[in-house]
Amino acid sequence: QVQVVESGGGSVQVGGSLRLSCAASGISFNIPRMGWYRQAPGKQRELVATIIIDGRANYADSVKGRFTISRGNAKNTAFLQMNSLKPEDTAVYYCNAVTFVEYWGQGTQVTVSS
């Protein structure tokens, strides 16, 4: 069974940093695309960043220059380095792994406060 697990969320003050980690298991091949999405209360889930196997990344305009997505040395791992965090970054962050279908983690809470 495929499982996607996020970690690294927490509470941080405005301007702080967090590093989220994602690991997808149960897949024997390299996942073509992995990504991070977020969902704030009362809002729909939105794209944060995606990365494909060659390292090419795509970012939402709201996080460009502040967040960096990367793939780890271990197969089917991904990270999201979040710097200069703002209150509007507060959300549940979900890791996404795309093969022929999409797999999702349970999410990790990120709270940015004063």
Side-chain angles (χ1 to χ4, degrees):
Q1 182 178 354
V2 175
Q3 186 175 18
V4 178
V5 179
E6 307 97 335
S7 63
S11 297
V12 65
Q13 293 184 355
V14 172
S17 298
L18 285 172
R19 184 175 175 85
L20 305 184
S21 300
C22 174
S25 60
I27 303 176
S28 60
F29 55 89
N30 291 332
I31 296 173
R33 174 181 274 107
M34 300 187 71
W36 290 94
Y37 293 72
R38 67 187 182 187
Q39 186 170 20
K43 303 189 70 175
Q44 293 190 342
R45 188 174 300 181
E46 65 177 358
L47 169 74
V48 176
T50 60
I51 187 167
I52 58 177
I53 198 165
D54 68 353
R56 185 174 182 178
N58 182 56
Y59 297 92
D61 288 341
S62 60
V63 306
K64 286 181 179 178
R66 299 188 298 119
F67 291 10
T68 302
I69 189 171
S70 61
R71 298 189 71 141
N73 293 329
K75 182 183 293 185
N76 298 329
T77 58
F79 303 92
L80 184 70
Q81 179 66 45
M82 305 185 294
N83 298 325
S84 302
L85 284 162
K86 304 175 181 179
E88 53 262 43
D89 295 320
T90 296
V92 177
Y93 283 70
Y94 297 90
C95 183
N96 163 257
V98 182
T99 59
F100 292 105
V101 297
E102 294 188 13
Y103 302 96
W104 295 89
Q106 294 299 305
T108 184
Q109 177 71 47
V110 172
T111 302
V112 184
S113 61
S114 300

